[in-house]
Amino acid sequence: MNIVILSRNPHLYSTQRLVKEGEARGHEMEVIDPLKCDIIIEKEKPTIYYKDRYLDYVDAIIPRIGSSVTFYGCALVRQFEEMGVFTIVTSDAIQRSRDKLRSLQRLSKAGIGMPKTVFTNYSRDVEEVIEHVGGTPVIIKLLEGTQGLGVVLAESKNAAESVLEAFNGLQARVIVQEFIKEAKGADIRALVVDGQVVGAMKRQGKEGDFRSNLHRGGSANIIKLNTDELKLAMNASRVLKLPVCGVDMLQSSRGPLLLEVNSTPGLEGIEGATGRNIARAIITFIESSKNK
């Protein structure tokens, strides 16, 4: 097959691993910068032009689209879909997952456990917001934040008030969540491929930091998920229609609680922690889907 990886940086670990595993299985692999593609809209003939050629030979795509280019990246994925090209995640699913509030609303309706969360329209009544999530400390998150950026732990009412006022002044949309103390600064990342968990790691924040993101100095180790954790990860994948995704959750006294679902999960941390060949699992998912 001709498989295209939509990535702005061909040197990233995840991109290189996918290229290597695809080539090892006999596929033609190509990395294309989504921002250098032209979308040509024409009656009954949707096409994409890249550099000096039309991309009319592509069999499947692997979107590796960063949050900063979501709009154009999803437009490109949608154009490939209109051309009949298989994609491991659809444009609609990527957009759903990038909207944290929308995702949480859909997931909560589906019965998936999560920390108590409040979204408010620049409310001045901070005390009421805090009460809704069970009191301080609370987590305040920017809806557009990634890799732990825009996530603040407010340990007191005064601290929460100051943070919310600052974000409100910037016209930044935020959610307020209860702080799960028993998680002790750790979370779990489950990697789902074809709706099944193919690897999981427990990420621990560096000392003094409640955020467990590896990009912020956290560490990771392989973990075996229990039945409830496996069920949460697979249900989240199904509800958001993301057959390939990273599902982040916390271990709490009332069971696993979902944090968010990532439609473009990095492979370096989880392959390193688990020793699992996640890149190959993604390529074989494409093969099995194209053969159906």
Side-chain angles (χ1 to χ4, degrees), residues 40-46:
I40 301 173
I41 301 169
E42 185 180 354
K43 182 181 178 181
E44 297 181 353
K45 192 183 177 183

Side-chain angles (χ1 to χ4, degrees), residues 148-187:
L149 297 172
V151 182
V152 179
L153 171 64
E155 299 193 35
S156 67
K157 175 179 171 291
N158 287 341
E161 196 170 85
S162 297
V163 172
L164 285 173
E165 284 178 356
F167 282 141
N168 287 348
L170 295 170
Q171 297 286 290
R173 298 286 185 181
V174 299
I175 55 175
V176 180
Q177 288 187 324
E178 70 172 310
F179 177 62
I180 307 301
K181 184 178 180 180
E182 60 267 31
K184 298 179 181 177
D187 72 5

Side-chain angles (χ1 to χ4, degrees), residues 1 3-5 14-15 17-19 21-22 25 27 29 60-64 86-89 191-194 196 198 243-246 263-267 270-271 276-290:
M1 284 188 288
I3 301 176
V4 161
I5 302 170
S14 300
T15 303
R17 286 285 298 119
L18 289 163
V19 169
E21 291 301 326
R25 295 185 66 82
H27 303 297
M29 303 297 295
I61 61 170
I62 303 174
R64 302 289 306 172
F86 174 78
T87 175
I88 64 167
V89 286
L191 210 298
V192 177
V193 177
D194 197 9
Q196 301 295 314
V198 295
V244 176
C245 61
S263 60
T264 312
L267 304 183
I270 197 153
E271 285 197 340
R276 303 279 172 82
N277 193 331
I278 308 296
R280 184 169 62 197
I282 292 171
I283 300 298
T284 56
F285 165 57
I286 294 173
E287 294 169 350
S288 63
S289 299
K290 289 290 290 182

Side-chain angles (χ1 to χ4, degrees), residues 52-149:
D52 58 352
R53 63 194 183 279
Y54 292 98
L55 301 181
D56 53 6
Y57 55 86
V58 179
D59 298 304
I61 61 170
I62 303 174
R64 302 289 306 172
I65 296 166
S67 58
S68 63
V69 296
T70 296
F71 177 80
Y72 195 80
C74 284
L76 187 64
V77 173
R78 189 160 53 247
Q79 188 79 344
F80 274 114
E81 291 168 356
E82 297 297 334
M83 294 162 59
V85 175
F86 174 78
T87 175
I88 64 167
V89 286
T90 67
S91 56
D92 285 345
I94 295 171
Q95 288 182 312
R96 267 195 302 271
S97 70
R98 291 283 161 85
D99 186 334
K100 290 181 184 178
L101 181 62
R102 183 182 178 188
S103 295
L104 291 175
Q105 288 173 312
R106 290 175 68 97
L107 293 162
S108 66
K109 184 180 180 182
I112 292 173
M114 59 189 64
K116 292 178 185 175
T117 303
V118 174
F119 175 68
T120 185
N121 190 40
Y122 307 127
S123 173
R124 301 293 181 192
D125 196 343
V126 176
E127 193 165 345
E128 189 175 83
V129 171
I130 292 171
E131 285 177 6
H132 283 315
V133 297
T136 55
V138 296
I139 302 294
I140 301 172
K141 293 181 179 179
L142 277 173
L143 285 178
E144 293 80 20
T146 60
Q147 298 177 352
L149 297 172

Side-chain angles (χ1 to χ4, degrees), residues 255-271:
L257 302 175
L258 183 133
L259 284 176
E260 65 179 304
V261 182
N262 190 322
S263 60
T264 312
L267 304 183
E268 185 172 10
I270 197 153
E271 285 197 340

